[in-house]
Amino acid sequence: MEQDPETEIRCELLTFTNGSQADAAEAVLAAADLLKQANGVVPAQPGTLLPDVVKRTQLSTTLTHGALVAPTPWGGQVPQVQEDRRITLLAQLVLISDEEYQLAREKGVDALLTRLRRRAVNPNDWQRPLD
């Protein structure tokens, strides 16, 4: 399917946390602000890393960075809503540690997610111990 150059592409961010709804909202707003300020240089799509995104918040967490991934509740493909001249996709913000960020930079976000699954790390635990 060929993309119409007039089609607007949007991204909606979501996150999951064992913390409060206010914490989740603060993290998502910080990620959205980082993406907006990047002016398209940092793509709002799964696989994108958001360095130091937590420093833009007042969150008390052991984590520092963010990664955008395909939303886990649906698995597989990134959900999309197609409307007339607009496509909206969903991306999940996962907060990650310095070590996890470095792994994702070197080997990709998929490699990081595989590692988290293998180690039975709950990415929704924003107070998880660091390795």
Side-chain angles (χ1 to χ4, degrees), residues 14 45-51 53 65-69 91-96 101 104 109 112-113:
L14 60 99
Q45 65 188 24
T48 296
L49 293 172
L50 304 175
V53 70
H65 310 284
L68 298 182
V69 302
Q92 179 180 339
L93 171 66
V94 175
L95 297 187
I96 57 177
Y101 177 81
V109 171
L112 169 63
L113 295 176

Side-chain angles (χ1 to χ4, degrees), residues 3 7 13 15 31 36 39 64-65 67 83 98 116 120 126-127:
Q3 187 74 33
T7 299
L13 301 176
T15 195
K36 182 179 178 182
N39 233 4
T64 309
H65 310 284
E83 303 169 278
D98 291 334
L116 294 177
W126 292 359
Q127 301 304 324

Side-chain angles (χ1 to χ4, degrees), residues 1 3 6 16 28 30-31 49 55 62 64 70 73 80-81 83 87 91-92 98 100 103 115 127 129:
M1 176 173 113
Q3 187 74 33
E6 297 296 316
F16 299 96
V28 166
L49 293 172
K55 290 181 181 178
T62 58
T64 309
Q80 297 182 4
V81 176
E83 303 169 278
I87 297 174
Q92 179 180 339
D98 291 334
E100 293 163 348
L103 173 68
R115 179 181 181 191
Q127 301 304 324

